[in-house]
């Protein structure tokens, strides 16, 4: 069996179903397993073929237990979904590979550049991608924006419009980066889903406009075939150490095509299902590359102006 494991599955119900549907469409036998620290409270665990309880990814025994689980259940591919597990899995990719298991995660150096936004700015410089200008908090120019260098899920973000709003707590937070404020009335916010093959080459670029955000994740969005596609391809066609899925967040000004990079998340983004519904199936790319040994060609064959509107759905469990 060629089984897949999606780690820290949590609410990634649609991602699990995408892999299940892709197995069926390709007429391949394979199960989609998940892990979670509390499987009973993980909705994705109920739709997966089985959800396994695991310890926190920072636990010294995490890798040993995960490898043991994979070997016991014929798991050939691991798909990480949260930022905190990326580095520990990247450091142990070779160990899993020696056991015949592919961890779809980029190399350590690239993960490090993405996880710390101070390093991400250096990466953007190398790629010739502009980003909001850094601001000296002791000589501020208002309005400005502050965000943690290692943040995720849109937490601890601040729009500061005056000196009065520059509180002591904000000033003394060692994790905050201060930067140019980007006016949402002038720029549109995008997340762009990218797929990199085993050869570290870019295979697909799907920009999705973030119309409405909830808890840091897209709630309403639409795909756009616009100038972002050639812009990123020119600058990101090859990235040493980058494989699998990732998403780059940016601002785009339609008036002149200016792009301002914000961050790169080297994993499936929470809004990836929109890209899938637009017929860019990165799950299929992974299965074809890592299970079937096929080579993936660059493609722009996906559907423009695909609109996704999300709503909550219940998972009901009758416990005995």
């Amino acid at each position: 069996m060629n089984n897949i494991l999606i780690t820290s599955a949590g609410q990634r119900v649609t991602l699990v179903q995408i892999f299940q549907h892709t197995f069926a469409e390709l007429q391949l036998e394979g199960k989609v397993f998940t892990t979670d620290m509390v499987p009973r409270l993980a909705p994705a665990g109920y739709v997966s073929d089985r959800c396994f309880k695991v310890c926190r990814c920072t636990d010294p025994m995490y890798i040993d237990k995960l490898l043991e689980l994979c070997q016991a259940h014929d798991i050939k591919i691991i798909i990480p979904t949260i930022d905190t597990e990326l580095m520990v899995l990247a450091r142990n990719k070779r160990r899993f590979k020696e056991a015949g298991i592919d961890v779809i995660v980029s190399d350590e150096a690239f993960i490090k550049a993405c996880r710390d936004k101070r390093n991400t700015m250096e990466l953007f410089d190398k790629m010739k991608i502009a980003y909001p200008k850094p601001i000296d908090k002791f000589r501020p120019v208002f309005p400005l924006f502050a965000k943690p260098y290692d943040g995720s899920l849109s937490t601890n973000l601040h729009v500061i419009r005056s000196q009065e709003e520059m509180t002591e707590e904000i000033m003394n937070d060692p994790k905050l980066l201060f930067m140019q404020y980007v006016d949402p009335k002038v720029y549109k916010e995008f997340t762009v889903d990218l797929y990199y093959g085993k050869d570290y080459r870019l295979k697909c670029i799907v920009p999705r406009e973030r119309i409405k955000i909830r808890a840091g994740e897209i709630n309403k969005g639409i795909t756009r075939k616009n100038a972002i596609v050639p812009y990123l391809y020119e600058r990101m066609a090859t990235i040493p150490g980058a494989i699998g899925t990732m998403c780059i967040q940016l601002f785009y000004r339609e008036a002149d095509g200016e792009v301002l990079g914000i961050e790169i998340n080297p994993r499936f983004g929470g809004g990836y299902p929109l890209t899938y519904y637009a017929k860019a199936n990165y799950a299929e790319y992974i299965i074809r590359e890592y299970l079937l040994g096929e080579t993936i060609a660059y493609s722009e064959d996906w559907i423009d102006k695909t609109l996704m509107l999300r709503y909550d759905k219940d998972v009901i469990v009758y416990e005995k």
Side-chain angles (χ1 to χ4, degrees):
M1 293 284 285
N2 290 316
N3 300 328
I4 288 175
L5 179 68
I6 298 176
T7 59
S8 303
Q11 299 185 66
R12 300 290 192 113
V13 172
T14 305
L15 184 62
V16 170
Q17 293 173 330
I18 286 170
F19 275 96
Q20 291 172 329
H21 294 162
T22 301
F23 267 137
E25 288 168 358
L26 295 175
Q27 297 183 335
L28 294 175
E29 288 190 16
K31 293 183 178 180
V32 181
F33 297 123
T34 53
T35 65
D36 201 90
M37 289 176 59
V38 188
R40 174 175 165 270
L41 300 180
Y46 289 96
V47 300
S48 68
D49 290 287
R50 183 174 174 183
C51 187
F52 301 97
K53 179 179 174 60
V54 293
C55 55
R56 193 177 298 275
C57 65
T58 53
D59 189 297
M61 294 302 294
Y62 177 71
I63 292 298
D64 289 338
K65 294 293 185 182
L66 191 65
L67 181 58
E68 185 179 302
L69 188 158
C70 290
Q71 291 174 319
H73 297 279
D74 294 321
I75 291 165
K76 302 301 182 187
I77 293 176
I78 297 175
I79 308 290
T81 65
I82 62 172
D83 294 329
T84 51
E85 64 189 354
L86 298 178
M87 186 58 80
V88 68
L89 288 172
R91 287 173 179 158
N92 289 276
K93 272 203 305 185
R94 182 174 295 180
R95 185 176 172 192
F96 281 93
K97 186 65 177 176
E98 289 171 352
I101 302 160
D102 285 299
V103 184
I104 313 303
V105 66
S106 297
D107 293 351
E108 287 182 63
F110 185 69
I111 299 289
K112 184 178 179 181
C114 296
R115 288 289 293 129
D116 188 325
K117 293 173 180 59
R118 296 167 298 185
N119 297 330
T120 307
M121 288 189 283
E122 294 179 11
L123 186 60
F124 282 148
D125 282 332
K126 291 178 182 177
M127 295 175 177
K128 294 182 171 53
I129 295 175
Y131 49 85
K133 297 175 183 176
I135 289 178
D136 182 350
K137 66 181 178 180
F138 298 108
R139 296 178 180 175
V141 177
F142 299 106
L144 60 81
F145 186 66
K147 66 186 297 185
Y149 66 78
D150 62 349
S152 61
L153 298 177
S154 296
T155 57
N156 197 19
L157 307 182
H158 307 273
V159 177
I160 304 165
R161 301 183 184 278
S162 66
Q163 189 65 56
E164 290 71 28
E165 294 180 8
M166 187 77 95
T167 64
E168 186 175 342
E169 182 182 6
I170 290 173
M171 285 289 289
N172 295 331
D173 189 332
K175 288 195 171 186
L176 286 180
L177 297 176
F178 296 82
M179 63 191 70
Q180 162 196 354
Y181 173 69
V182 180
D183 189 345
K185 295 178 182 178
V186 179
Y187 293 82
K188 290 184 177 180
E189 188 176 358
F190 278 82
T191 296
V192 186
D193 288 316
L194 311 173
Y195 184 85
Y196 282 82
K198 287 182 177 182
D199 57 1
Y200 308 134
R201 293 195 63 84
L202 187 52
K203 308 298 181 180
C204 193
I205 307 170
V206 182
R208 41 185 172 87
E209 182 183 342
R210 290 157 67 96
I211 298 172
K212 183 178 180 181
I213 311 301
R214 185 174 66 174
E217 195 169 288
I218 190 170
N219 184 254
K220 303 179 195 298
I222 188 168
T223 57
R224 300 285 191 191
K225 280 191 179 180
N226 55 19
I228 292 173
V229 175
Y231 178 94
L232 292 183
Y233 188 82
E234 180 182 344
R235 292 161 175 78
M236 301 180 70
T238 303
I239 300 179
I243 66 162
T245 60
M246 69 182 69
C247 54
I248 177 171
Q249 287 185 233
L250 53 84
F251 288 100
Y252 174 63
R253 187 165 62 190
E254 289 182 318
D256 59 2
E258 182 178 49
V259 170
L260 296 175
I262 305 298
E263 62 185 49
I264 301 173
N265 298 303
R267 54 168 172 74
F268 272 104
Y272 166 73
L274 172 52
T275 289
Y276 169 77
Y277 294 129
K279 308 304 180 184
N281 189 348
Y282 294 176
E284 181 177 343
Y285 291 176
I286 289 171
I287 290 171
R288 288 192 180 278
E289 274 205 295
Y290 293 91
L291 293 184
L292 302 181
E294 298 180 10
T295 300
I296 304 299
Y298 178 75
S299 173
E300 292 184 14
D301 188 20
W302 49 271
I303 302 173
D304 188 20
K305 299 177 184 176
T306 302
L307 177 67
M308 180 175 74
L309 307 173
R310 281 179 154 172
Y311 65 99
D312 292 328
K313 189 174 182 179
D314 307 316
V315 173
I316 305 301
V317 180
Y318 294 99
E319 295 187 346
K320 296 180 180 179

